[in-house]
């Protein structure tokens, strides 16, 4: 039902000029597409875990990513900043490049999802 609704909304959006009603349909279509990508990512990640036995390191990646939150400055948090230096080379994050590399194909297949969304 979601896929049919998405296709109908996308066709409608493509064939009609933007209006406030179309903007609502566009938002609804984007939300439906995002939800489908989330479900697809969950299936892909479950298969990666099944094949590689890597559940614990993926949990560790999510934990360390979220653990960058600073209560005092209200900055940080799960933003996938560990893709970049200096976070990528912190001693506490040693080995997390393995988890990042395992999840890279998920982002490549579903570029509408953020790295942080995939990691969490």
């Amino acid at each position: 039902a979601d896929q049919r609704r998405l296709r109908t909304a996308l066709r409608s959006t493509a064939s009609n000029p933007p209006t406030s009603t179309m903007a609502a349909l566009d938002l609804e279509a984007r939300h439906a597409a995002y939800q489908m990508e989330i479900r697809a990512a969950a299936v892909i990640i479950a298969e990666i875990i099944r094949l590689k036995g890597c559940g614990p390191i993926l949990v560790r990646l999510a934990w360390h990513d979220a653990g960058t939150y600073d209560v005092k400055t209200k900055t940080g948090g799960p933003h996938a900043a560990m893709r970049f230096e200096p976070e990528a080379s912190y001693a506490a994050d040693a080995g997390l490049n393995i988890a990042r590399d395992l999840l890279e194909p998920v982002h490549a297949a579903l570029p509408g999802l953020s790295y942080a969304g995939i990691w969490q």
Side-chain angles (χ1 to χ4, degrees), residues 61-69 75-81 114-117 119-120:
L61 175 66
W63 178 263
H64 280 247
D65 188 37
T68 62
Y69 182 72
T75 59
H79 299 298
S114 68
Y115 281 98
W119 292 7
Q120 296 302 313

Side-chain angles (χ1 to χ4, degrees), residues 86-102:
E87 288 87 355
S89 59
Y90 287 161
D93 298 332
L96 290 178
N97 60 306
I98 296 166
R100 292 191 304 265
D101 291 347
L102 286 168

